[in-house]
């Protein structure tokens, strides 16, 4: 028996970092990824396609998304599709899952108790759904299989205490401990919720199949799961992502004007594609008027989006203030006043001058003065 398992696609997600056209393009890319997953299921001749929740986002889905899902799964009929709603696509009165006239090959688990589906003689799939966006109890609490054979779990939940994921900041929806899987009589659990892939002995998190944010170092994948007659599991990860997202650091130490900084960024982007976030760091001259929006606007044609942020950027100190004292301007008066202030030591004086001069030039809040 072979299954293709995925989770956490998050159709219609907001993509708050992006412009409206970029966010729309990213949402279309997620749809293309689901189509790729379905094509993989057919190509691999699996016996069923399973989803561990967060297929879409309940608060943002559109009628168009509902029709897209209906037709996409209908196109692979009669291949069975088993969906276990998560905390983002929870099964409720206004759920997309209730509004669609699904093709007969689609089965949606709709209760918060694990329910059985017979996949083959001696092989049972137990699935459950979140019925609310939060506070779902652990599906394995008090659960025990009631029949013989091989048993698989399919749900959206938070493994607790696993070394591979214990540092995550994800909220523990439907929490469970790994040892509950075997104690419940399940041979393996196919899960969703954690976006970082995990291949644990008794459970699998496929990870999100297409990038959702910057900083994700793992490839987008679905998991081909083969179940032997004795319940032994083998797994093969298959690439699914239709998007490329990258994070890079660029050192702009020594630049003396904004054009030099932009050029350093462009040089670093030559061999990249897709969506790129650039983090700038280094020490630069005090006169550099550096703005993230200006660099983003210089996006080269090989990228779909460029997002610039400031990391550990510092402003180099200078002693060349005397010439400013001759100006008959607000800036000149400011410099004269600071230089005449005997309560400041040299380091404080430099910091006040640099901060004040940048403020007078309208360049506040972007660079740290060191």
């Amino acid at each position: 028996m072979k299954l293709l398992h995925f989770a956490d696609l998050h159709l219609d997600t907001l993509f708050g970092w992006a412009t409206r056209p970029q966010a729309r393009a990213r949402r279309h890319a997620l749809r293309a990824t689901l189509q790729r997953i379905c094509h993989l299921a057919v190509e691999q001749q699996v016996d069923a396609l399973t989803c561990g929740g967060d297929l879409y986002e309940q608060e943002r889905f559109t009628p168009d998304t509902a029709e897209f899902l209906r037709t996409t799964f209908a196109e692979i009929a009669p291949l069975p599709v088993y969906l276990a709603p998560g905390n983002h696509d929870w099964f409720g009165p206004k759920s997309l899952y209730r509004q669609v006239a699904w093709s007969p090959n689609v089965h949606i688990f709709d209760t918060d108790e694990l329910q059985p589906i017979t996949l083959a003689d001696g092989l049972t799939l137990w699935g459950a759904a979140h019925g609310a966006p939060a506070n779902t109890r652990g599906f394995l609490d008090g659960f025990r299989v009631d029949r013989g054979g091989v048993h698989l779990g399919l749900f959206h939940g938070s493994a607790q205490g696993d070394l591979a994921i214990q540092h995550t900041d994800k909220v523990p929806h439907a929490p469970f401990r790994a040892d509950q899987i075997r104690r419940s009589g399940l041979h393996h659990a196919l899960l969703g919720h954690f976006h970082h892939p995990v291949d644990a002995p008794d459970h699998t998190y496929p990870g999100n199949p297409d990038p959702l944010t910057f900083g994700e170092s793992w490839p987008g994948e679905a998991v081909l799961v083969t179940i032997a007659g004795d319940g032994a599991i083998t797994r093969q990860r298959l690439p699914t992502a239709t998007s490329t997202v990258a994070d890079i650091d660029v050192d702009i130490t020594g630049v003396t004007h904004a054009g030099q900084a932009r050029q350093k960024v462009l040089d670093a982007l030559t061999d990249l594609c897709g969506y790129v976030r650039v983090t700038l760091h280094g020490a630069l001259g005090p006169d550099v008027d550096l703005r993230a929006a200006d660099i983003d606007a210089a996006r080269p044609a090989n990228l779909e989006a460029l997002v610039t942020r400031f990391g550990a950027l510092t402003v180099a100190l200078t002693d060349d203030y005397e010439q400013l004292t001759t100006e008959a301007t607000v800036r000149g008066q400011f410099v004269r006043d600071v230089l005449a202030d005997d309560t400041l030591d040299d380091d404080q004086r430099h910091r006040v001058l640099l901060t004040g001069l940048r403020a007078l030039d309208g360049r506040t809040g972007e660079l740290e003065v060191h």
Side-chain angles (χ1 to χ4, degrees):
M1 172 69 71
K2 292 196 302 183
L3 307 176
L4 187 65
H5 179 59
F6 76 101
D8 299 293
L9 183 62
H10 287 273
L11 291 174
D12 290 337
T13 195
L14 184 61
F15 292 111
W17 55 266
T19 65
R20 291 184 66 181
Q22 290 169 352
R24 187 171 179 82
R26 291 295 299 114
R27 288 190 283 271
H28 283 303
L30 295 182
R31 292 190 178 193
T33 294
L34 180 60
Q35 292 173 320
R36 177 175 289 187
I37 290 170
C38 290
H39 292 160
L40 273 175
V42 174
E43 290 171 7
Q44 294 294 324
Q45 298 182 339
V46 301
D47 297 287
L49 176 65
T50 61
C51 177
D54 286 2
L55 174 61
Y56 70 93
E57 299 204 346
Q58 173 63 28
E59 66 272 24
R60 298 189 181 93
F61 82 86
T62 65
D64 189 79
T65 301
E67 177 61 14
F68 165 74
L69 285 172
R70 186 194 69 79
T71 58
T72 298
F73 291 142
E75 287 170 357
I76 62 173
L79 179 67
V81 177
Y82 297 104
L83 308 175
N87 59 289
H88 280 279
D89 60 343
W90 53 285
F91 193 90
K94 297 182 179 180
S95 170
L96 177 154
Y97 293 127
R98 287 185 179 271
Q99 298 180 23
V100 172
W102 298 101
S103 51
N105 63 314
V106 177
H107 179 86
I108 301 163
F109 293 100
D110 58 5
T111 72
D112 62 1
E113 294 184 355
L114 290 165
Q115 299 295 318
I117 291 286
T118 300
L119 298 182
D121 288 343
L123 178 59
T124 304
L125 179 69
W126 296 82
H130 287 248
N135 302 317
T136 299
R137 65 177 183 82
F139 296 119
L140 297 179
D141 294 346
F143 169 75
R144 179 75 184 176
V145 301
D146 60 0
R147 65 201 69 186
V150 176
H151 301 273
L152 303 176
L154 176 64
F155 58 88
H156 195 82
S158 307
Q160 303 296 293
D162 191 296
L163 291 177
I165 53 177
Q166 65 180 354
H167 299 299
T168 182
D169 57 359
K170 295 282 283 183
V171 174
H173 297 279
F176 69 95
R177 296 190 65 84
D179 61 5
Q180 288 183 277
I181 296 172
R182 288 284 174 170
R183 287 194 287 107
S184 72
L186 295 176
H187 290 75
H188 200 84
L190 303 175
L191 305 172
H193 187 54
F194 290 119
H195 290 184
H196 193 292
V198 176
D199 290 323
D202 296 327
H203 63 271
T204 300
Y205 284 100
N208 48 300
D210 200 85
L212 294 171
T213 187
F214 295 106
E216 295 179 351
S217 59
W218 53 91
E221 297 168 328
V223 181
L224 181 63
V225 181
T226 303
I227 307 101
D230 62 356
I233 299 290
T234 57
R235 292 168 289 200
Q236 179 185 356
R237 289 187 167 271
L238 303 176
T240 57
T242 58
S243 306
T244 301
V245 174
D247 260 297
I248 64 170
D249 293 326
V250 176
D251 186 351
I252 57 172
T253 295
V255 303
T256 58
H257 62 81
Q260 291 177 337
R262 285 195 299 273
Q263 190 57 53
K264 284 201 171 189
V265 170
L266 293 176
D267 290 344
L269 299 173
T270 302
D271 298 325
L272 299 179
C273 61
Y275 299 80
V276 178
R277 181 174 66 181
V278 174
T279 302
L280 302 180
H281 62 89
L284 58 158
D287 295 325
V288 179
D289 186 3
L290 187 62
R291 299 166 191 258
D294 293 342
I295 296 178
D296 292 348
R299 173 180 64 87
N302 54 300
L303 299 188
E304 296 182 65
L306 175 62
V307 177
T308 304
R309 66 175 180 173
F310 295 134
L313 275 177
T314 61
V315 178
L317 297 177
T318 178
D319 291 318
D320 190 19
Y321 300 116
E322 289 300 327
Q323 62 177 344
L324 298 180
T325 64
T326 63
E327 293 184 4
T329 61
V330 172
R331 185 171 69 164
Q333 186 60 53
F334 167 73
V335 173
R336 289 191 292 272
D337 290 342
V338 174
L339 291 178
D341 190 343
D342 294 334
T343 65
L344 301 173
D345 59 32
D346 288 343
D347 182 63
Q348 291 172 326
R349 183 173 290 107
H350 283 308
R351 292 172 182 273
V352 171
L353 284 167
L354 282 172
T355 302
L357 289 172
R358 291 185 66 81
L360 289 170
D361 286 342
R363 293 181 283 148
T364 61
E366 295 195 337
L367 298 180
E368 183 181 358
V369 177
H370 280 264

